[in-house]
Amino acid sequence: MSVITNEIKKRRTFAIISHPDAGKTTLTEKFLLYGGAINQAGSVKGKATARHAVSDWMEIEKERGISVTSSVLQFNYDGYCINILDTPGHQDFSEDTYRTLMAADSAVMVIDASKGVEAQTRKLFKVCVMRHIPIFTFINKMDREAKDTFELLDDIEKELGIATCPVNWPIGSGKEFKGVYDRNNEVVELFSDTKKGTTTGEVRVVDANDPELDWILGTEAKVTLEEEIELLDGAAAEFDQEMVDKGELSPVFFGSALTNFGVETFLRHFLAMTSSPLPRKSDHGMIDPMEENDFSAFVFKIQANMNKAHRDRIAFMRICSGEFNAGMSAYHVQGGKEVRLSQPQQMMASERKMIEKAYGGDIIGIFDPGIFSIGDTITTSKDKIAYEGIPTFAPEHFARVRQVDTMKRKQFVKGINQIAQEGAIQIFQEYNTGMEEIIVGVVGVLQFDVLKYRLKNEYNVDILLENLPYEYIRWIEDTKTDLDKITGTSDMKKIKDLKGRPLLLFAHEWSIRMTMERNEGLQLSEFGRS
Ligand code: G4P
């Protein structure tokens, strides 16, 4: 096996998704602890210090104490080289969050045991399903009062439409949390928080048939466990690696990230059940990183303004095949020319560092002189392959935008187009109304503030935003439908994107269905083709 193939084989690239506060940051931090990338809990989480040190390129982040952008963390563990794609949560939820999932080979879904499936998880999950990537579930905060375990699993199956297969099973929760039963090895891992901030503490493991377990757990808890396991063995789906690979079955684990209980077990199983970087679709068929030696990568995120003085941008790309060397040249397929890939960066724990080499599966940030767009391919392959584009995700908030000073039309148009090209916002136009006004669509409302801020600071343009009542956007899939002839509901608005493609906006979800019923053959999609 070549050095390159060997390196790629070691890679595991996954995204962590969850609703805010489920414990994503805490779990990530514990992973890094195992990888030795940090040696003390708190290094990632320290909102006031570490986070700002990483991403102080945007004033707005500092002002609000949040991270607008998602980051990538790399660490080594047990012979694997792991890339975690963090997806920003809270109100800073943006299209970037969705796009990050396009660069991952699998996803870890963190669920708060007292809450079950929540809104943001549901949205991100849809993208995972679209991509058919494996999804692993970590049910967190078992040290707090949790929902009934069967109910939690039911919730996942019904809400998300995916079968579940518990790898371990919790014994009680909250103050009564005793540990987890490992179904494969038929042992009980007893809960303790001795490992809380480190990896050195030990977890006691007792054979499920050990009579001692009766008094360790207490008779009631032991009987409940036996009953539940019997029920589970009869009702739950069997573990099936093929179904896991296709994203149809999610292995489920229980634990408590804060006390570092169940994290290592999860990590070990997860690494064994996921695969190295997978083949990806291109205009030349599937490109398999194990066979393709040439370097190839696609851009999934563009981060502007890393250095205000230069107004530069960083294009984040996922390497799909081959080896990357700092300063190398490669062909930018969409731009139609060779480019030098300079200032490559990677995130290591909470620091950004320059790198010399990277391999298929890795994520790197490259200096972008303003030439890259989301979805672009860069490659050294003679075939000039182009990877399949990244879909456009449905914005949920819309506003009509106009510049305060009409004399600044040129700067305004330039600025808003550039920001749209980076993928932070989507811009649309009125359809056949003769109005020149621009309609902006965003996934998270914070992007409106970011837009306002950036137009003012980078392009010296003040804008006014008039919120529109629409929440749903649909792309028209079929080419036969004549937009002029669509009869919609009173809360529907016709618009077009910059390429002139028609779209529909709706204020209510039920109007989408009604419009489809009224217009036979009309096919609407939640994802747009780029
Ligand atoms: P997020 O990234 O998904 O938004 O969640 P994060 O890890 O920031 O965790 C949210 C809150 O939940 C934090 O408390 C964190 O300490 C707590 N938490 C995470 N995992 C567990 C767990 O297994 N058990 C319990 N009991 N709590 C957990 P916070 O008070 O909001 O933040 P902090 O002051 O601790 O930083």
Side-chain angles (χ1 to χ4, degrees):
M1 199 172 7
S2 77
V3 178
I4 298 178
T5 324
N6 206 13
E7 283 293 337
I8 298 178
K9 270 222 155 82
K10 291 198 313 204
R11 263 48 185 185
R12 294 290 183 277
T13 304
F14 66 94
I16 303 203
I17 63 173
S18 76
H19 192 79
D21 277 344
K24 186 164 53 85
T25 315
T26 314
L27 185 66
T28 308
E29 182 180 275
K30 294 299 179 317
F31 285 160
L32 294 178
L33 209 55
Y34 284 104
I38 55 169
N39 48 28
Q40 189 188 341
S43 315
V44 178
K45 189 70 210 251
K47 287 179 190 142
T49 51
R51 266 201 192 168
H52 288 163
V54 175
S55 57
D56 61 357
W57 55 79
M58 250 183 123
E59 287 297 319
I60 204 159
E61 288 188 321
K62 276 195 259 173
E63 278 167 22
R64 304 205 176 194
I66 51 162
S67 168
V68 177
T69 52
S70 47
S71 54
V72 186
L73 304 161
Q74 187 181 67
F75 68 98
N76 294 298
Y77 174 80
D78 202 20
Y80 294 98
C81 176
I82 301 159
N83 294 305
I84 304 185
L85 291 146
D86 187 18
T87 50
H90 296 95
Q91 66 276 56
D92 48 345
F93 192 75
S94 71
E95 224 187 315
D96 258 355
T97 319
Y98 288 133
R99 275 192 292 258
T100 298
L101 290 171
M102 305 306 286
D105 292 317
S106 61
V108 168
M109 174 163 78
V110 186
I111 288 179
D112 182 333
S114 68
K115 306 225 169 89
V117 177
E118 295 175 88
Q120 227 162 80
T121 312
R122 216 172 288 134
K123 286 185 196 171
L124 290 165
F125 184 85
K126 270 192 196 170
V127 182
C128 297
V129 170
M130 178 188 81
R131 291 206 49 221
H132 305 290
I133 56 173
I135 298 159
F136 295 80
T137 307
F138 186 81
I139 301 194
N140 191 30
K141 302 199 188 181
M142 288 310 298
D143 59 309
R144 292 247 182 100
E145 215 52 55
K147 274 187 167 182
D148 175 75
T149 316
F150 285 105
E151 242 176 69
L152 279 167
L153 297 181
D154 219 38
D155 196 27
I156 297 173
E157 302 211 346
K158 287 215 180 89
E159 284 257 4
L160 307 177
I162 186 172
T164 57
C165 169
V167 176
N168 58 25
W169 190 260
I171 307 165
S173 71
K175 286 198 186 72
E176 298 301 317
F177 184 47
K178 301 272 169 44
V180 291
Y181 169 71
D182 175 340
R183 294 178 70 207
N184 285 333
N185 300 315
E186 300 189 2
V187 292
V188 169
E189 289 175 22
L190 294 173
F191 172 66
S192 75
D193 62 2
T194 51
K195 291 166 75 120
K196 206 168 181 176
T198 68
T199 55
T200 49
E202 291 215 344
V203 166
R204 193 171 160 208
V205 179
V206 183
D207 193 285
N209 298 312
D210 191 328
E212 215 193 336
L213 203 56
D214 273 52
W215 68 263
I216 296 176
L217 299 182
T219 315
E220 203 188 319
K222 176 82 189 302
V223 170
T224 310
L225 173 68
E226 282 166 358
E227 284 171 1
E228 287 183 344
I229 295 303
E230 201 183 317
L231 200 61
L232 185 67
D233 287 345
E238 296 256 328
F239 178 78
D240 179 334
Q241 185 69 51
E242 222 172 281
M243 279 178 76
V244 173
D245 292 346
K246 286 193 269 181
E248 290 168 5
L249 177 71
S250 179
V252 180
F253 300 79
F254 295 83
S256 156
L258 186 67
T259 56
N260 200 0
F261 181 78
V263 176
E264 194 173 21
T265 310
F266 173 71
L267 190 58
R268 283 190 181 283
H269 278 89
F270 168 77
L271 292 170
M273 291 174 182
T274 46
S275 72
S276 1
L278 295 167
R280 226 166 238 271
K281 215 179 198 176
S282 81
D283 58 352
H284 283 64
M286 297 300 275
I287 306 295
D288 187 344
M290 299 304 159
E291 285 166 16
E292 174 67 56
N293 282 324
D294 287 316
F295 165 82
S296 68
F298 70 88
V299 177
F300 68 95
K301 171 185 153 87
I302 291 172
Q303 171 71 58
N305 235 11
M306 306 288 264
N307 179 344
K308 207 175 167 209
H310 300 106
R311 196 187 282 180
D312 60 355
R313 313 201 301 191
I314 299 281
F316 285 89
M317 38 188 97
R318 149 85 198 224
I319 305 178
C320 299
S321 68
E323 180 184 57
F324 169 85
N325 286 295
M328 72 188 276
S329 290
Y331 188 72
H332 173 211
V333 179
Q334 284 72 8
K337 52 170 131 110
E338 286 280 310
V339 287
R340 213 174 94 86
L341 305 176
S342 54
Q343 299 179 20
Q345 312 184 353
Q346 212 167 37
M347 297 286 283
M348 187 68 123
S350 52
E351 283 158 33
R352 186 175 294 277
K353 61 159 198 173
M354 289 298 192
I355 52 152
E356 288 298 319
K357 274 189 193 306
Y359 299 90
D362 288 342
I363 311 292
I364 50 169
I366 296 288
F367 172 74
D368 173 17
I371 56 171
F372 296 123
S373 291
I374 303 281
D376 285 4
T377 302
I378 296 95
T379 179
T380 56
S381 146
K382 276 194 236 39
D383 289 340
K384 298 179 179 166
I385 54 161
Y387 284 106
E388 195 179 42
I390 292 182
T392 314
F393 299 97
E396 290 175 20
H397 307 275
F398 299 87
R400 194 170 273 133
V401 49
R402 42 176 94 90
Q403 76 268 32
V404 175
D405 180 352
T406 46
M407 300 298 283
K408 291 190 177 161
R409 181 80 188 164
K410 236 172 140 180
Q411 286 109 296
F412 168 67
V413 171
K414 182 176 168 210
I416 205 160
N417 270 298
Q418 279 190 355
I419 295 169
Q421 190 197 354
E422 289 161 18
I425 55 162
Q426 289 179 42
I427 48 181
F428 308 101
Q429 277 166 329
E430 294 277 348
Y431 179 79
N432 284 358
T433 59
M435 280 159 65
E436 273 201 13
E437 276 167 2
I438 290 175
I439 292 170
V440 177
V442 296
V443 168
V445 276
L446 182 71
Q447 300 306 319
F448 283 142
D449 291 351
V450 172
L451 174 68
K452 223 176 186 168
Y453 180 91
R454 290 193 52 193
L455 282 174
K456 172 81 187 149
N457 280 271
E458 294 168 36
Y459 301 92
N460 198 21
V461 176
D462 284 304
I463 54 162
L464 287 174
L465 288 162
E466 179 202 338
N467 288 326
L468 296 170
Y470 310 103
E471 285 181 27
Y472 304 91
I473 188 166
R474 289 295 179 268
W475 280 264
I476 298 172
E477 280 286 287
D478 54 306
T479 45
K480 285 182 262 51
T481 304
D482 179 354
L483 194 66
D484 291 327
K485 298 216 173 94
I486 292 179
T487 36
T489 46
S490 58
D491 66 335
M492 188 193 89
K493 182 176 176 63
K494 297 173 185 176
I495 56 169
K496 60 183 180 190
D497 67 12
L498 294 188
K499 289 182 181 154
R501 288 178 300 201
L503 297 111
L504 301 176
L505 292 181
F506 299 91
H508 307 287
E509 198 170 11
W510 44 262
S511 304
I512 304 172
R513 205 171 3 97
M514 210 181 274
T515 302
M516 285 174 79
E517 277 165 20
R518 283 183 190 168
N519 301 272
E520 219 190 305
L522 177 65
Q523 287 170 33
L524 302 176
S525 164
E526 250 183 272
F527 304 108
R529 276 178 299 237
S530 54

